[in-house]
Structures are given as C-alpha cells and as structure tokens.
C-alpha cells in the first residue's frame, strides 16, 4: 500500500537521484483494488482483475492495470464484487444502523416497513442522513411494525389516505409500500391489507413488498393481488400457507407469479421466516431467490443473520453457484428499485461502490429461524468496503 505522499516523495527522491525533474505527479487513478477475484454477474465476469477508480466511478476492470494510483488495496485472495444491496432491512430505525451496514459491504439498503404514516418521517430522515443510499418502504399500517402484537389486527390501521400522504411528503426516499401478512400480524385481514397497500402505491406507481408465511389466506389467494415488480419476502417461510404444498411441491401459482415478474426475496430474519427443509425442497425444484436480503437490524450480529455475506453463504450449501448468489445481492437487487439503477455493477462508469469479501474454507455452522443448524465448508466474510471511490475505515 502506497499513499499519495509516499508516492510523491519516492518520485521526488527518484528524480533527485537521477538528476531530472519528475513530470506528472498526479496519479492516473484515485484507487486501484489489485488482484482480487472479481465476480460481477452484470458483466458475466469471474476472473482475477484489478479495479481502477477515478472521479468516484469505475474507470477500468482489467488484468494488471498499469497506471499509478493515489491509494491501492491489495485484494489478492479476496472476492471483489459490486457494493452489496440489501432490499429488506430495518436500518432506518436509528442513525447508528447505516454506518454498521456499510462495514459489511452494504452500499445500498431498503428499510422494509419499520415506519408507517405516523412515524415514517423519522425513518426517512435516517435514510437521508445515511452515508450510502438508503430507501424506505412505508408500512401500510400507520403505526409501522409493532412487535409483538401485530400492526394489522385492526384493519383501520391500514389507512390509504394517510399512507399516500406519507409517501407524498417523503417522495425522495420512499420507494414502495410494505404489508406484513402473517396471521400474528394481520389476523384475518391479510387480503384487505394487501388491497389497501396496492391502493396506496398505485398513484405513485410504486411496488408493494409483502411478508408471507403463516398467513390466514393461502398463496393462491394472495398472489393474484400482486403486480409485476412487487416483491414477496420471506419466500421460504414454512407452512401454513407458504410456497409449498403439503407434499413439499411448489404451488403452480408461485412459479406462475415468478413468470409474470413477481420478485421472490429471501429475508433471513430471526423468527418464523425460514427453515432449512423449505429452502432445501424449494431450491431442489429450482426455485432460487431473485434477491438475498437479511431483515437486518442493529442487533443482527448476535443472531443467525450476522451480516449479508453470512446470509449469502447459506446458499453455497445448497449448491447455488457463487456468481448467482452474488447476483442476488448486487445486480438483481439493484433492478428491483429504480433508485439503484446504476448500482450493483462494476461496469466502467458506474459509481465506485465495491464490496471486498473473504471466501474462507473451514467448518462453519449456519442457523435457520427454528434453531436448526447446518454445517457449511465455505463462508463469505466482509473484508472491506469502497463507497463512491473511497475506502471505508474498518475500525
Ligand atoms: Zn422485516
């Protein structure tokens, strides 16, 4: 690692030694990330490459980039990907959240329904103040998430006019509407709550994210209320009323929903949102996630979530190729919301958001939401983040 000052002083020393004046001291690049295994599904790239950054943008992704740089990061033996995007978090609950996520390699996040009409302004303020791009889904329930208890047991909490007002006054950061449909949240009101979420979103042309699993109504009643671009989170929630029938087969309605453009998101969480058996049965039938998210909050380090790279690692065990897993947390996630249009890629010209990870070999234990553990031999660890071309301090 050589910083700008060292570079200049060595150049000056060299000039004195050789008795000539150094020509250009300005480095070609601000930063070069050297020699990592660059996995960028947006470019179908998985190879050892250098990534050069200038003006806060990706300037080149090539083997052995020759130009000099103000800073270099030695990424040999590491995995280098576009900055990770986590579309289901609760990072908007406090201003401490977003900087913690940034250390995990997460350079874009969505808070999925922490706040409703009554308290969304505070969540939106956290998003605006975040170091990376933060966006927000308004909970259709005016209270936002109430746990325990459930925000939709009284359907009057799902007030369309108030939700629309909340969207209108936070249009810069609100990117959709959230509805939690589990029976413990919504009782028998799941379908009506979803109808109201769609009604709130419609004038703004925004997607709705639903949280499924253990709902009163079955998927065959819920899915017809979703439109192209809407998101189903907690996709591997176990019965009752998940994506599998009583014999463990995918409901045809579920695969049909994917074909018409509904997005299926992992949403790790801590309670009732997935078990290994459902992941195994669904992935064996080819039903992989479109996006991998954490349902993260500031306490997640001490749960089965840990961080987004840990959640991504769970899919290595199920035989999903690493580039497909990385796609779920980069380019696929970026395509869900227009705010991330130019993210999730290391293509030349893109904002220089980069996640550096270590793919470690060893004996690792992964956790579902039912205290089920599974052994894995590989795990991704966060090993560095670059945001808009600047290395994020690790400490
Ligand atoms: Zn959540």
């Amino acid at each position: 690692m050589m910083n700008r000052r060292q570079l200049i002083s060595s150049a000056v020393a060299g000039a004195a030694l050789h008795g000539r004046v150094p020509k250009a001291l300005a480095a070609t690049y601000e930063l070069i990330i050297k020699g990592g295994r660059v996995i960028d599904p947006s470019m179908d790239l998985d190879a050892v490459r250098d990534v050069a950054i200038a003006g806060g943008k990706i300037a080149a992704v090539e083997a052995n980039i020759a130009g000099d740089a103000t800073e270099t990061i030695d990424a040999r033996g590491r995995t280098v990907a576009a900055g990770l995007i986590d579309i289901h978090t609760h990072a908007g609950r406090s201003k401490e959240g977003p900087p913690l996520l940034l250390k995990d390699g997460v350079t874009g996040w969505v808070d999925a329904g922490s706040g409703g009409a009554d308290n969304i302004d505070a969540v939106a303020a956290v998003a605006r103040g975040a170091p990376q791009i933060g966006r927000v889904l308004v909970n259709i329930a005016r209270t936002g998430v109430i746990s325990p208890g459930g925000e939709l047991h009284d359907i009057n909490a799902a007030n369309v006019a108030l939700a629309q007002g909340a969207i209108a006054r936070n249009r810069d950061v609100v990117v959709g509407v959230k509805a939690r449909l589990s029976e413990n949240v919504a009782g028998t009101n799941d379908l009506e709550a979803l109808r109201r979420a769609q009604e709130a979103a419609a004038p703004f042309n925004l997607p709705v994210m639903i949280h499924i699993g253990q709902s009163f109504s079955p998927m065959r009643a819920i899915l017809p209320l979703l439109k192209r671009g809407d998101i189903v989170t907690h996709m591997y929630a176990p019965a009752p009323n998940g994506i599998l029938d009583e014999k463990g087969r995918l409901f045809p309605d579920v695969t049909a929903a994917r074909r018409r453009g509904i997005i299926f998101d992992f949403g790790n969480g801590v309670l009732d949102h997935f078990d290994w058996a459902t992941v195994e049965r669904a992935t064996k039938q080819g039903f992989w996630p479109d996006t991998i998210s954490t349902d993260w909050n500031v306490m997640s380090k001490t749960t089965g979530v840990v961080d987004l790279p840990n959640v991504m690692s769970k899919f290595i065990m199920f035989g999903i190729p690493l580039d497909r897993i990385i796609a779920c947390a980069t380019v696929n996630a970026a395509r869900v919301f227009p705010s991330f249009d130019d993210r999730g890629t290391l293509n030349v010209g893109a904002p220089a958001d980069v996640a550096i990870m270590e793919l470690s070999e060893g004996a690792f234990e992964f956790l579902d939401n039912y205290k089920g553990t599974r052994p894995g031999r590989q795990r991704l660890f966060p090993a560095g983040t670059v945001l808009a071309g600047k290395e994020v301090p690790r400490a």
Side-chain angles (χ1 to χ4, degrees), residues 88-90 93 111-114 145 178 180 209 211 233-234 267 269 273 294-296:
H88 182 170
T89 76
H90 295 279
R93 283 179 184 164
D111 182 286
S114 296
V145 170
K178 175 83 183 286
R180 300 203 303 159
M209 177 189 280
H211 138 158
T233 193
H234 308 317
H273 297 325
T294 55
D295 201 0
W296 186 94

Side-chain angles (χ1 to χ4, degrees), residues 32-99:
I32 299 182
I33 303 166
K34 296 221 52 108
R37 176 186 173 190
V38 177
I39 303 182
D40 185 346
S42 81
M43 299 192 287
D44 209 12
L45 177 66
D46 180 352
V48 172
R49 290 285 184 270
D50 294 347
V51 177
I53 293 163
K57 311 262 195 223
I58 304 293
V61 180
E62 288 162 25
N64 304 310
I65 293 174
D68 58 341
T70 313
E71 305 269 354
T72 62
I73 296 174
D74 181 358
R76 286 173 298 172
R78 302 261 160 103
T79 301
V80 175
L84 306 178
I85 296 171
D86 191 340
I87 67 161
H88 182 170
T89 76
H90 295 279
R93 283 179 184 164
S94 71
K95 67 179 185 346
E96 287 74 27

Side-chain angles (χ1 to χ4, degrees), residues 167-188:
I167 297 168
R169 64 179 187 269
N170 295 290
R171 199 64 192 88
D172 55 328
V173 288
V174 171
V175 294
V177 177
K178 175 83 183 286
R180 300 203 303 159
L181 302 186
S182 309
E183 195 162 5
N184 65 355
V185 174
T188 59

